[in-house]
């Protein structure tokens, strides 16, 4: 069963690297746009270090490629409003907190979102940039749109168990405690993508080929579609100490 995004107003996503937004909320963004909602997406970094082959893809070249890929990817979802903060990839934790939050809050104040989507304090994968962006997003929302519903990306226990073999194979997570799982009664938004929505998300992922082509070749397109384009889950923001870590919660 799907649980739709609340409300009818603007949806605001705050993410760390190009492709985070599509993996975690591509279906929700497309559905919101199809419903006539404003969707604005912020990316903190240009992802200039997102390669195993930095000689072939030096940072400036990769950043430019990823800018173009992200624009095409968002367009495939119907999203045309994007802000790139251009902060250094892999180095978000060293940025001045108040200055970044002030910059983000300025964008939030203009958009007046009803819903803010971002990582939880776990950073979903544990990536330090993701965790930092979560803190920035929460602070910016608290400052500029305190009534906006703040939602954190999460997976259900069922999803984590189904795909554990893939997570282990890819080494996606920064610690054995990840991913954090949403307790069933904590799930605030869940989109089960139908075939058309899954295809659209797959197109958006393909558009970011510098990040997804190798992975798709490795897994096969059907697995990529079943894993990355099947369901998106968010929980309401709560203080980190109160979040569930355990299996079967
Ligand atoms: Zn990322």
């Amino acid at each position: 069963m799907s649980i739709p995004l609340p409300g009818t107003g603007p949806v605001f996503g705050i993410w760390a690297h190009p492709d985070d937004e599509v993996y975690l909320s591509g279906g929700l963004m497309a559905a919101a746009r199809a419903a006539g909602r404003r969707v604005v997406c912020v990316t903190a970094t240009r992802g200039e270090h997102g390669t195993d082959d930095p000689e072939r893809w030096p940072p400036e070249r990769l950043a430019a490629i990823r800018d173009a890929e992200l624009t095409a990817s968002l367009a495939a979802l119907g999203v045309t409003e994007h802000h790139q903060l251009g902060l250094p990839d892999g180095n978000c934790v060293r940025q001045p907190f108040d200055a970044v939050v002030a910059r983000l809050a300025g964008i939030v104040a203009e958009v007046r979102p009803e819903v803010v989507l971002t990582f939880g304090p776990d950073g979903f994968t544990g990536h330090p940039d993701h965790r930092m962006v979560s803190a920035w997003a929460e602070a910016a929302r608290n400052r500029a749109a305190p009534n906006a519903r703040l939602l954190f990306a999460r997976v259900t226990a069922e999803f984590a168990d189904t795909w554990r073999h893939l997570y282990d194979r890819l080494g996606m997570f920064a610690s054995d405690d990840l991913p954090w799982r949403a307790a069933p009664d904590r799930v605030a938004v869940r989109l089960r993508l139908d075939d058309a929505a899954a295809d659209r998300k797959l197109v958006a992922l393909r558009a970011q080929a510098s990040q997804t082509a190798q992975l798709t070749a490795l897994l096969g397109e059907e697995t990529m579609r079943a894993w990355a384009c099947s369901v998106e889950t968010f929980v309401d923001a709560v203080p980190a100490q109160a979040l569930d870590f355990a299996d079967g919660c």
Side-chain angles (χ1 to χ4, degrees):
M1 190 187 70
S2 284
I3 306 171
L5 277 173
T8 56
V11 178
F12 193 90
I14 307 178
W15 306 103
H17 315 104
D19 81 1
D20 296 333
E21 70 303 300
V22 178
Y23 273 118
L24 295 174
S25 68
L28 285 165
M29 289 195 291
R33 289 297 296 134
R37 299 178 75 161
R38 185 178 183 193
V39 175
V40 181
C41 189
V42 176
T43 315
T45 82
R46 299 171 74 199
E48 65 271 20
H49 294 302
T51 178
D52 297 333
D53 189 356
E55 278 190 26
R56 182 176 172 209
W57 297 104
E60 266 316 301
R61 184 177 179 209
L62 185 58
I65 292 276
R66 295 189 74 175
D67 289 346
E69 286 181 342
L70 180 53
T71 300
S73 182
L74 290 172
L77 303 170
V79 177
T80 55
E81 292 191 74
H82 177 247
H83 296 262
Q84 172 57 261
L85 300 186
L87 299 171
D89 183 12
N91 212 2
C92 287
V93 293
R94 292 204 178 81
Q95 304 311 303
F97 187 88
D98 289 342
V100 176
V101 169
R103 200 170 155 202
L104 257 180
I107 305 171
V108 172
E110 185 277 316
V111 176
R112 300 165 63 93
E114 187 167 6
V115 180
V116 175
L117 305 175
T118 188
F119 310 100
D122 57 318
F124 194 82
T125 62
H127 192 300
D129 283 351
H130 294 189
R131 297 173 67 181
M132 197 69 246
V133 164
S134 176
W136 291 338
E138 183 162 5
R141 170 265 193 185
N142 291 348
R143 185 179 304 181
N147 294 324
R149 185 110 169 242
L150 180 63
L151 296 170
F152 291 155
R154 194 63 52 85
V155 293
T156 60
E158 179 196 6
F159 188 89
D161 292 340
T162 301
W163 296 104
R164 169 59 65 187
H165 63 287
L166 191 145
Y167 293 146
D168 290 344
R169 184 175 166 198
L170 300 178
M172 271 185 65
F173 295 102
S175 98
D176 291 340
D177 297 329
L178 294 171
W180 284 1
R181 296 146 180 251
D185 61 350
R186 281 264 181 82
V187 172
V189 170
R190 178 175 50 214
L191 177 69
R192 291 196 188 281
L193 283 74
D194 63 20
D195 285 346
D199 285 340
R200 196 168 185 190
K201 182 167 177 175
L202 198 59
V203 168
L205 285 168
R206 276 196 203 130
Q208 302 200 43
S210 71
Q211 307 304 300
T212 58
Q214 255 188 334
L215 186 60
T216 305
L218 179 73
L219 301 180
E221 191 167 88
E222 279 311 302
T223 299
M224 189 73 173
R225 190 173 185 275
W227 164 61
C229 305
S230 57
V231 63
E232 295 168 6
T233 306
F234 283 78
V235 296
D236 279 302
V238 291
Q241 310 86 290
L243 290 167
D244 297 308
F245 294 81
D247 287 4
C249 55

